[in-house]
Amino acid sequence: ISPGLLVVAGSFAAFRVRMEGPGRLEGFGRGAAAEGGTEDTGRELGNQRALPSTHSFPPHRFCLYPGLSEDLVGTHPPGAHSLVAMSVGYFLEDFVDMLCNQKLRQSWELLFHHSVVIVCFGIAVLLHQYVGFALVALLVEINSIFLHLRQILLMANLVHTTCYRLNSIINLGTYVVFRIATLAWMTRWLFLNRENVPPATYAVGTVGMAIMTPMNIILFYRLLRSDFFK
């Protein structure tokens, strides 16, 4: 059995135990739904639990291995493959959790999102290639810090506070830098390296970017409308 698959299984089990244990927050996205307008938005903002340590891991690795940006296919720093495998386990667990505990009409967007991530990251884990590219994708998790903080403030009914307003500004700023700009850079990289990427892998990556980019733009619009133009 591939060590990467063992990490995926272990990550899935660990997150499953965590979610089934005491202190689980049922209906985590209701506060966001109340403030953001739609129940789907609440689920999209509230369901994703933070991946431990992944928020700081990708930029840390890029600083220690500056050459990584020059070869996103075959080069990756120590621990990067395990990190991507752990991420696959997390998304698998979250996918199962939504299927078991959410109505399809409430979670279809995230189910679709998770399916794309699981397929793309799964290819990197199985082939031991494109791990650097997956590591770039994990840069979006930096923004997740402020998305989760926004959710906590909503749940605490602290919407009309300076802290919430400040977090909203930082949230949108990091959203543009670490989500929209990152996806744009990844799309550009795929286009420039299309001749060096196998057709099947290039097709999967292109479809993934074509799906993820509009989804993130739509969520950005929802956040902007909810926090600034409500």
Side-chain angles (χ1 to χ4, degrees):
I1 301 177
S2 168
L5 294 180
L6 291 177
V7 174
V8 171
S11 174
F12 177 89
F15 280 109
R16 197 66 190 159
V17 169
R18 175 176 177 265
M19 290 308 301
E20 294 299 333
R24 175 187 173 120
L25 297 177
E26 297 289 351
F28 193 65
R30 290 176 193 154
E35 292 296 331
T38 67
E39 193 171 1
D40 286 340
T41 306
R43 174 63 182 171
E44 191 164 357
L45 294 175
N47 180 72
Q48 299 183 35
R49 275 72 65 181
L51 277 146
S53 77
T54 59
H55 300 296
S56 59
F57 189 96
H60 169 68
R61 289 303 183 186
F62 276 101
C63 290
L64 291 181
Y65 297 89
L68 180 62
S69 59
E70 299 175 3
D71 181 13
L72 299 180
V73 178
T75 301
H76 57 269
H81 183 266
S82 296
L83 172 63
V84 176
M86 185 186 73
S87 302
V88 174
Y90 162 77
F91 284 110
L92 278 172
E93 188 283 325
D94 209 35
F95 188 94
V96 172
D97 184 69
M98 283 187 285
L99 284 179
C100 296
N101 298 292
Q102 293 289 324
K103 295 179 180 179
L104 183 60
R105 66 180 179 83
Q106 296 176 344
S107 59
W108 70 268
E109 288 176 300
L110 269 181
L111 288 172
F112 194 38
H113 168 275
H114 283 18
S115 299
V116 174
V117 174
I118 290 169
V119 170
C120 294
F121 280 23
I123 291 175
V125 171
L126 291 175
L127 299 182
H128 283 260
Q129 290 186 316
Y130 309 101
V131 175
F133 194 72
L135 203 63
V136 173
L138 283 176
L139 287 172
V140 303
E141 293 300 325
I142 295 175
N143 169 252
S144 294
I145 298 173
F146 304 101
L147 275 176
H148 291 306
L149 179 56
R150 177 184 186 275
Q151 179 61 30
I152 292 171
L153 294 172
L154 285 172
M155 293 174 65
N157 197 26
L158 297 174
V159 180
H160 305 291
T161 62
T162 302
C163 183
Y164 183 88
R165 177 60 59 183
L166 179 61
N167 181 73
S168 296
I169 296 172
I170 299 175
N171 182 34
L172 287 182
T174 55
Y175 198 103
V176 171
V177 174
F178 293 107
R179 285 186 183 267
I180 296 178
T182 296
L183 289 173
W185 188 91
M186 293 171 66
T187 302
R188 176 180 176 274
W189 185 91
L190 270 176
F191 177 77
L192 294 178
N193 293 272
R194 59 189 182 280
E195 296 180 356
N196 301 321
V197 179
T201 306
Y202 180 77
V204 172
T206 301
V207 171
M209 291 298 100
I211 293 172
M212 303 296 282
T213 300
M215 288 184 68
N216 277 275
I217 292 175
I218 290 172
L219 179 55
F220 179 79
Y221 166 73
R222 290 176 177 175
L223 288 169
L224 192 65
R225 182 185 64 183
S226 173
D227 289 353
F228 292 93
F229 300 113
K230 187 174 179 181

